[in-house]
Amino acid sequence: MLMQDLKIINDVRLLSLNARELYEDLSKRLSDQQARNVLKRLAKHRMEIVTAIAKEESSKAQGDQLSEFVPESIRSESTVVNLDDNDLVDSIPALIVKERREIVFLRNEVKRIKNYTLRYRLSSFVATLQMDFDQLQSLAAVPKTDTKGDGNE
């Protein structure tokens, strides 16, 4: 397998691991059940990507650092998220920005993979992440109320 493919595979794996940890953490802290479900689904799909990559023969050449191809904006957002408990509701728009950048990056990187079979499999995972991203966006578009029905209807 080409060295470029190995770097891309490792980047996808590391970004997926970082995102999975973030989504699992936030899903435990949010009170909105719909948002928790979306975040859990995102975490599950990120783990599926990691599992698929681990099945590859080339997974033996995994590194612990992202390659130089990963932009700094994605690299810094993947490693550190500063959200305190009071800003959890505001975290959805921040997640949308982060997820949008990552999906665009992952889509472009997967297109660069020379191995057709691997490219096809990873692109299907990116498509799944795009669908989850659409659901995440819909959470921010629907304003949440603190109480169900206030009796003035």
Side-chain angles (χ1 to χ4, degrees):
M1 190 170 285
L2 297 173
M3 189 58 138
Q4 173 185 331
D5 286 0
L6 293 175
K7 284 183 178 183
I8 293 169
I9 291 168
N10 191 57
D11 288 344
V12 171
R13 182 184 66 85
L14 290 173
L15 288 171
S16 294
L17 284 171
N18 290 338
R20 188 193 108 228
E21 290 174 14
L22 170 66
Y23 299 139
E24 285 179 346
D25 179 51
L26 285 175
S27 71
K28 294 174 187 172
R29 295 168 46 197
L30 284 174
S31 61
D32 178 31
Q33 184 63 46
Q34 183 180 7
R36 282 199 317 256
N37 290 342
V38 170
L39 291 171
K40 286 178 184 179
R41 202 167 26 257
L42 281 167
K44 178 185 172 208
H45 291 150
R46 291 298 180 117
M47 194 59 212
E48 289 172 355
I49 291 172
V50 172
T51 302
I53 290 171
K55 290 180 182 178
E56 291 297 315
E57 296 173 20
S58 60
S59 66
K60 297 174 182 78
Q62 295 174 353
D64 293 336
Q65 295 182 352
L66 295 169
S67 72
E68 66 277 2
F69 300 122
V70 180
E72 188 60 38
S73 62
I74 293 174
R75 184 184 304 268
S76 61
E77 288 179 357
S78 296
T79 55
V80 178
V81 173
N82 297 322
L83 297 172
D84 63 21
D85 290 334
N86 297 330
D87 292 335
L88 285 178
V89 174
D90 297 331
S91 66
I92 298 297
L95 279 177
I96 289 170
V97 170
K98 175 199 172 303
E99 191 72 13
R100 179 181 296 122
R101 284 183 188 147
E102 261 191 53
I103 288 174
V104 168
F105 174 75
L106 290 175
R107 188 180 304 122
N108 291 333
E109 289 300 289
V110 167
K111 286 179 187 176
R112 291 181 32 205
I113 293 177
K114 302 295 183 202
N115 181 319
Y116 177 78
T117 305
L118 179 62
R119 182 174 63 228
Y120 181 76
R121 279 206 322 256
L122 289 178
S123 67
S124 71
F125 286 118
V126 174
T128 301
L129 291 177
Q130 178 66 51
M131 291 186 302
D132 290 339
F133 171 71
D134 294 342
Q135 290 181 355
L136 187 64
Q137 276 187 305
S138 71
L139 291 177
V142 178
K144 305 290 182 203
T145 58
D146 289 335
T147 60
K148 290 184 180 180
D150 58 5
N152 293 330
E153 299 171 343

